[in-house]
Amino acid sequence: MRPDLRRGTIATLLTLSLVMEGAVAVAQQHEPPARYQSAYARPLPIDRGSVGLSQTLQKLHTRASLAMVTAHPDDEDGGMLTYQSRGQGVDTTLLTLNRGEGGQNVMTSDYWDQLGTLRTQELLAAGNYYGVHQYWTRVADFGFSKSIEEALKTWGEDRVLYDAVRVIRMQRPLVVTSVFAGNVSDGHGHHQVAGYTAQRVYAMAGDPKVFPDQIKAGLLPWTPLKVYARVPFARVTEKGIYDYATGHWEPVRFRNYVTNTWIEGVPSTTLEIPSGTYNPMLGFSYLQTSREGLNQQKTQMGGIAIPLPRPVTTPYHLYASRVPSSEHEKSFFDGIDITLAGIASYAPKAEQASWREKLNALNETVDSALSSFNAEKPAAIAPTLAKGLAQTNALLDEVAKSKLSAEARYNMTHELRIKQQQFNLALEQSLGLTLLSNTSDGAPSSGRMGPMGDMSTQIPTSQTVVPGDKITVAVHVANQGTEPVSLSAIDVVSQAGQGFTINPQSSSTGELAPGAARDESFNVVVPSSAELTKPYFSRPNLEQPYYNLDDPRYLNLPTRPYPLLATATVTYHDVAIKLTGVVQTVHRINGEGPVLEPLLIAPAISLSVSPYAGIVPINDGDLDLHVSLHSSIKGPAKGTVRLDLPQGWKSTPEVANFSTMREGEDQNLTFKVQPERVEAKPYTITAVAEFNGEKFTQGFQTVGYPGLRPYPHYRPATYRTTGVDVKTASDLRIGYIMGTGDDVATSLADIGIHPTMLSAGEIASADLSKYDAIILGIRAYAARPELKTFNNRLLDYAKNGGTVIVQYQTQEYDHDYGPYPLTLSSDPEKVVEEDNKVTILAPNDPVLNWPNKITTADFNDWVEERGHGFMRKWDSHYIALTEMHDTDQDPQKGGLLYARYGKGAYVYMAYAFFRQMPDGVPGSFRIMANLISMGKNPGLALGKDAAPASASGN
């Protein structure tokens, strides 16, 4: 780490914050920040009934609160979070800096911002198990970052801290933690920024001069009392700390960013979190419960196992404290008054005694509920909980009317509202109250249970509605407990703007006896001005490492709120209990049955172009552009589609007609584009649909996979292309073995190549000799077990004259699958600076000279990274064609290797072409064109037995 890295300069931050994109709009809101309503139709089993109630009672008994700062989804210490939230009753927040857009994906072919959308949903699913509130900043994962300096410079230090400080001021945690320490031990730059940020927000969030626009918008400063980070699990030897990002050894010293001093050696363990502790109500340890959550995040690993029960602790180091602390602690909250009476500490000392008396009375009520709790008869404590809610309501009213300072009222109100919500939840759980709402066809289902039916016979409903649609929303409220209650109100409210017409078909209020249920249906008209259900952020290109705020109201939230929310008010012992639920839709999935997913508002017509980027050869300018049209209209729809083309370009047809018969129908349209002249420069083409007097130029793709809640990702219907001087050998036949998912095969169509996708059976027994080259997709040896079984078939194919091209692989490949030894090692090299210098090692090699002359210019304008899985060692038969490396990294020559083998050739390529080609990077097409043309390269003379190798290896 650079020794002169200093704490962020507040004066600079203040100046920058005033001009940050979105900051002014946030400041102009003058209202509390938006809250996120969980969109899951039903709580997890561990949050229902007596199991859930036992945990809510724990929360009622303490004012402890904690926030953890991490970099990416799946970085979080889930065991610690679960132990704190579910075991200790702590009000727990998880702040994740980015959405993992730059990571890998073993589940689908979604990358970049689509992957960020997918991983957001995964982390939300995981957070259900941890029991946390979740927030994000607006920065994007730009790929592997080797230093904190690079990450802060790329993201903008002010941008990261602005968003993080805002979350701390919203959530007001007593303690801030991080998995990371802000040191090279963290693994890479993004992780280091997370550790740095946790310590900086501890120091900054309480200063009213820091980001004053947030104060103007209604937030008040907040000063956390303690800040921790997990004790680094670094590889430390006499050489120092091993930096996995750079492969170098660094001094064993850690920066304390609060005091701006160094800790010599590994930070000591202040406390151990016993996350392996068994909870009999959960039936699992906290670590096991958290791993159920982590298993929801499958894109990186495909799923994980639940660990065996055993004692497990996690060490944390205290970096700073504003309360007395000791060298060894038992809890994050040692030295902090986390009793309910501690809420009185915000009042002046002279007034604290009277407030403590009232808060102690509230605590006695909680104690009474805890001591009387019987899991078999949860309703027995409902009267006590109702008393506690009434006491909390009275305290809130008294605080509002008091002459306390504005800051004292703000802080006391904040903590009392948390208690109010917890009492509300405890009453729901103890009384067995349930609200469920979904769209309906409006007719009772077999006369059973009103319009909601019994869900087994519920008619599936559309997941999307369009502005102007009329729908029916059914709300079901049930009293499953043993206590009578009164249903005071049922309503449906919009979270997607003004102008909705929402009318109940009848009134269903009144007494609700034990075991009884009520149904209410609402006629809803969606206005033409309704907000589409889409991310509230976007970015113009992948090179921008942060998102613009399309709707600043939702800064830090996981997603834009879903459009419709059902609410009900139940009265019990003279207190009002609020029930809420996002309006769902019903789907029947074979093997799963009815599945509930939130209602979405979508455009009437959606357009997408495929692919969204590519190239057009300057010597063969015609290109085929595929446009997919999706109708969300409830019935027939007719209109036209045309292309907005560069000047002088034409398309056939000039205008295409579309006609759909029903909602959800797709039509695929193909336009042959004839450029007037193709030059070596970028071009854009936009598809435009016209329907019912409106123009549509964007579309959405539903991102997800079975078992994960889907979410729409929007993209302009625009094709980015670049004129490129690229040639291939004639009449090439290419086979492709897909790995974990990439779009390289599709991108090859831009140079006239349409690969055949090879199945396991074809790899095992088909005639492979008909292919000029066979390309293996990324991580193919991890995803395709048949490759290990039939690897010799690929080697025989090469030996007999074919060309095998292996794209980057992971450690599964490290078993001498090539014709001659290759070594990745347990920590394969990667080169992540996409604009670093590239050296051509063999400029006269035939592979680099036919049919295209490859130069260093072909490595310009790459995106995100150079590549993963660079070889560390290789046999002398292989020829290394290039060298590249990041700043302070050793030279990397293992990015593109090839060897003659028999009559053919074997290629290993670590370059991230799975990112470059779908993004239309010209050089990636020229290099790939040469590789797939190797079998016909006159300079290589493949088809004859290879001569003895003359090139040296590594």
Side-chain angles (χ1 to χ4, degrees):
M1 184 186 304
R2 195 177 71 219
D4 63 341
L5 181 65
R6 301 297 181 190
R7 294 179 291 176
T9 304
I10 289 180
T12 302
L13 293 172
L14 294 180
T15 301
L16 291 171
S17 75
L18 295 176
V19 297
M20 284 177 57
E21 55 292 306
V24 174
V26 171
Q28 292 173 344
Q29 290 179 43
H30 297 291
E31 60 185 27
R35 294 288 179 180
Y36 185 76
Q37 170 74 36
S38 173
Y40 289 92
R42 296 184 178 91
L44 292 176
I46 56 177
D47 285 321
R48 302 178 202 162
S50 292
V51 176
L53 178 57
S54 68
Q55 297 167 75
T56 307
L57 291 172
Q58 283 285 99
K59 292 182 179 295
L60 280 168
H61 203 248
T62 179
R63 60 183 284 259
S65 57
L66 173 147
M68 165 163 273
V69 183
T70 63
H72 317 88
D74 78 16
D75 286 347
E76 64 277 0
D77 183 352
M80 183 277 285
L81 293 172
T82 307
Y83 173 80
Q84 296 297 329
S85 176
R86 296 191 179 278
Q88 302 301 301
V90 178
D91 190 64
T92 308
T93 294
L94 174 62
L95 169 60
T96 308
L97 298 186
N98 66 64
R99 298 168 187 264
E101 301 88 341
Q104 306 299 308
N105 185 357
V106 303
M107 295 300 294
T108 72
S109 60
D110 296 307
Y111 286 98
W112 305 110
D113 296 354
Q114 298 99 300
L115 177 59
T117 297
L118 193 157
R119 293 189 72 184
T120 297
Q121 294 300 323
E122 287 185 325
L123 187 53
L124 286 172
N128 278 350
Y129 288 87
Y130 307 151
V132 298
H133 314 289
Q134 293 204 49
Y135 296 90
W136 275 260
T137 75
R138 81 189 82 172
V139 299
D141 181 353
F142 58 84
F144 196 88
S145 172
K146 293 193 173 181
S147 70
I148 185 173
E149 293 88 354
E150 179 204 17
L152 285 173
K153 179 181 177 181
T154 302
W155 279 335
E157 182 178 4
D158 57 303
R159 184 176 292 108
V160 175
L161 292 176
Y162 182 96
D163 291 0
V165 165
R166 186 171 186 265
V167 171
I168 297 303
R169 286 172 172 172
M170 286 193 296
Q171 292 300 99
R172 313 182 85 71
L174 296 171
V175 172
V176 177
T177 71
S178 180
V179 171
F180 305 111
N183 186 272
V184 296
S185 61
D186 294 337
H188 66 87
H190 294 181
H191 294 165
Q192 294 178 56
V193 170
Y196 168 80
T197 298
Q199 296 184 45
R200 294 301 301 129
V201 297
Y202 167 86
M204 296 171 63
D207 187 342
K209 296 179 182 179
V210 173
F211 308 128
D213 57 307
Q214 295 180 0
I215 311 302
K216 183 180 178 182
L219 291 174
L220 289 189
W222 176 249
T223 303
L225 298 180
K226 300 171 86 173
V227 61
Y228 296 81
R230 185 167 172 166
V231 174
F233 36 88
R235 178 180 167 191
V236 177
T237 71
E238 66 279 357
K239 297 179 182 179
I241 296 177
Y242 183 69
D243 184 351
Y244 288 93
T246 63
H248 296 162
W249 294 90
E250 301 290 344
V252 186
R253 58 200 312 243
F254 290 76
R255 173 67 61 85
N256 183 317
Y257 294 100
V258 179
T259 62
N260 200 29
T261 58
W262 288 101
I263 300 170
E264 299 297 334
V266 177
S268 60
T269 296
T270 307
L271 77 157
E272 299 266 2
I273 304 299
S275 56
T277 303
Y278 175 71
N279 183 319
M281 294 296 287
L282 300 178
F284 258 164
S285 71
Y286 299 106
L287 178 62
Q288 289 176 307
T289 302
S290 75
R291 288 299 174 85
E292 286 194 284
L294 186 59
N295 190 43
Q296 307 303 306
Q297 303 186 69
K298 301 182 189 299
T299 50
Q300 300 299 287
M301 298 170 287
I304 63 167
I306 305 302
L308 295 172
R310 59 168 51 95
V312 177
T313 60
T314 309
Y316 278 80
H317 175 77
L318 177 66
Y319 280 82
S321 176
R322 294 184 171 95
V323 297
S325 59
S326 60
E327 185 177 351
H328 298 289
E329 298 181 337
K330 295 181 179 179
S331 163
F332 285 128
F333 304 97
D334 283 8
I336 302 174
D337 182 358
I338 58 174
T339 67
L340 298 191
I343 298 173
S345 63
Y346 299 116
K349 286 188 177 180
E351 301 178 35
Q352 287 184 12
S354 62
W355 289 107
R356 284 185 177 274
E357 183 179 352
K358 296 164 189 174
L359 289 162
N360 280 327
L362 178 62
N363 189 67
E364 288 174 6
T365 302
V366 176
D367 282 339
S368 176
L370 274 166
S371 62
S372 302
F373 172 60
N374 182 339
E376 293 184 357
K377 298 178 180 179
I381 63 170
T384 306
L385 294 171
K387 176 184 175 182
L389 180 54
Q391 289 173 295
T392 306
N393 293 341
L395 279 166
L396 279 165
D397 187 57
E398 191 170 349
V399 169
K401 295 176 181 177
S402 72
K403 294 182 180 181
L404 293 167
S405 68
E407 186 171 2
R409 286 200 307 272
Y410 190 101
N411 287 325
M412 292 179 73
T413 298
H414 173 80
E415 294 205 20
L416 286 170
R417 281 181 176 163
I418 292 174
K419 295 301 121 188
Q420 185 184 54
Q421 294 161 5
Q422 291 169 351
F423 271 117
N424 193 95
L425 176 59
L427 280 164
E428 284 185 52
Q429 294 164 330
S430 64
L431 294 170
L433 300 175
T434 298
L435 179 146
L436 188 63
S437 175
N438 63 264
T439 57
S440 167
D441 63 357
S445 178
S446 304
R448 300 169 61 186
M449 298 175 66
M452 289 294 293
D454 65 359
M455 294 304 296
S456 64
T457 57
Q458 176 74 23
I459 297 174
T461 59
S462 172
Q463 190 175 12
T464 61
V465 294
V466 304
D469 271 355
K470 298 178 180 179
I471 58 173
T472 299
V473 173
V475 183
H476 181 75
V477 179
N479 177 6
Q480 302 173 92
T482 59
E483 290 281 301
V485 299
S486 177
L487 184 57
S488 306
I490 301 179
D491 204 356
V492 173
V493 296
S494 164
Q495 299 188 112
Q498 304 296 317
F500 281 76
T501 302
I502 303 173
N503 293 316
Q505 293 182 1
S506 62
S507 175
S508 298
T509 58
E511 293 299 315
L512 195 60
R518 295 284 177 81
D519 294 286
E520 178 63 276
S521 291
F522 292 80
N523 297 322
V524 178
V525 179
V526 182
S528 59
S529 60
E531 300 169 7
L532 300 181
T533 311
K534 59 188 298 189
Y536 61 87
F537 49 84
S538 63
R539 53 178 173 165
N541 54 63
L542 299 178
E543 289 303 286
Q544 179 171 301
Y546 60 90
Y547 292 107
N548 298 326
L549 296 176
D550 301 328
D551 197 330
R553 293 176 297 170
Y554 305 129
L555 172 62
N556 297 127
L557 294 191
T559 69
R560 179 187 299 270
Y562 287 93
L564 292 179
L565 187 69
T567 68
T569 302
V570 173
T571 302
Y572 174 76
H573 281 224
D574 298 323
V575 296
I577 305 167
K578 304 292 185 181
L579 309 178
T580 60
V582 168
V583 173
Q584 308 284 323
T585 57
V586 182
H587 302 265
R588 284 200 64 87
I589 298 178
N590 190 33
E592 293 188 43
V595 174
L596 296 175
E597 294 174 349
L599 176 72
L600 312 175
I601 297 178
I605 301 296
S606 293
L607 289 179
S608 62
V609 297
S610 178
Y612 65 89
I615 66 161
V616 53
I618 61 175
N619 57 325
D620 183 14
D622 287 3
L623 63 95
D624 290 333
L625 190 65
H626 303 284
V627 179
S628 176
L629 180 144
H630 177 84
S631 173
S632 296
I633 299 295
K634 307 289 191 291
K638 292 184 179 181
T640 61
V641 179
R642 62 176 178 82
L643 301 181
D644 186 359
L645 296 164
Q647 186 174 1
W649 291 29
K650 298 179 181 179
S651 71
T652 304
E654 183 176 346
V655 177
N657 295 316
F658 72 85
S659 177
T660 60
M661 297 302 297
R662 60 193 61 84
E663 178 196 8
E665 187 174 338
D666 292 344
Q667 283 197 359
N668 295 318
L669 308 170
T670 299
F671 293 84
K672 183 169 286 293
V673 178
Q674 301 96 22
E676 182 180 49
R677 183 177 62 177
V678 178
E679 300 178 13
K681 66 178 186 180
Y683 299 91
T684 60
I685 300 171
T686 300
V688 181
E690 294 192 26
F691 166 74
N692 201 24
E694 289 188 74
K695 293 183 179 181
F696 301 86
T697 58
Q698 66 172 343
F700 70 90
Q701 170 191 350
T702 300
V703 176
Y705 50 79
L708 181 72
R709 182 178 61 195
Y711 194 82
H713 177 80
Y714 279 77
R715 174 183 285 156
T718 298
Y719 176 69
R720 294 184 292 105
T721 190
T722 303
V724 178
D725 182 10
V726 58
K727 308 175 187 67
T728 62
S730 60
D731 302 321
L732 289 178
R733 299 185 67 183
I734 306 298
Y736 202 97
I737 301 174
M738 183 62 73
T740 56
D742 63 67
D743 289 327
V744 169
T746 302
S747 297
L748 286 170
D750 287 3
I751 53 176
I753 303 298
H754 301 278
T756 299
M757 307 304 290
L758 299 182
S759 67
E762 289 169 316
I763 295 170
S765 59
D767 179 12
L768 302 180
S769 65
K770 61 184 178 182
Y771 299 108
D772 296 287
I774 294 176
I775 304 173
L776 277 68
I778 61 173
R779 294 181 168 187
Y781 278 84
R784 303 287 293 269
E786 64 271 18
L787 288 177
K788 302 171 185 178
T789 304
F790 297 105
N791 186 70
N792 285 340
R793 291 258 302 155
L794 293 176
L795 296 182
D796 289 343
Y797 159 77
K799 189 173 184 179
N800 292 325
T803 300
V804 174
I805 302 168
V806 181
Q807 295 185 80
Y808 107 82
Q809 302 295 312
T810 46
Q811 290 91 328
E812 293 84 359
Y813 180 71
D814 222 354
H815 295 281
D816 288 334
Y817 288 120
Y820 309 108
L822 291 162
T823 301
L824 278 172
S825 86
S826 60
D827 183 30
E829 291 282 3
K830 55 184 71 68
V831 180
V832 301
E833 296 172 5
E834 69 272 18
D835 56 354
N836 57 18
K837 179 183 177 182
V838 174
T839 300
I840 304 294
L841 299 176
N844 297 321
D845 191 280
V847 173
L848 299 181
N849 285 275
W850 192 88
N852 306 288
K853 173 65 176 177
I854 303 302
T855 69
T856 55
D858 289 298
F859 294 89
N860 293 341
D861 302 319
W862 282 33
V863 296
E864 183 161 319
E865 60 191 344
R866 291 299 191 190
H868 278 260
F870 280 64
M871 285 291 163
R872 287 184 179 269
K873 297 180 181 179
W874 51 90
D875 185 88
S876 61
H877 286 84
Y878 292 99
I879 299 173
L881 296 176
T882 60
E883 189 282 316
M884 58 190 70
H885 61 274
D886 292 325
T887 304
D888 297 328
Q889 185 183 24
D890 295 333
Q892 299 299 311
K893 299 180 181 180
L896 181 57
L897 308 171
Y898 87 94
R900 289 289 308 272
Y901 183 58
K903 297 179 180 180
Y906 191 94
V907 180
Y908 179 83
M909 183 181 70
Y911 302 155
F913 276 17
F914 73 100
R915 298 194 190 280
Q916 313 308 322
M917 294 182 71
D919 205 58
V921 175
S924 63
F925 286 86
R926 287 169 45 83
I927 296 170
M928 182 61 83
N930 280 23
L931 297 180
I932 61 177
S933 299
M934 285 174 64
K936 298 184 178 183
N937 187 325
L940 285 174
L942 296 185
K944 300 178 181 179
D945 287 328
S950 59
S952 61
N954 185 18

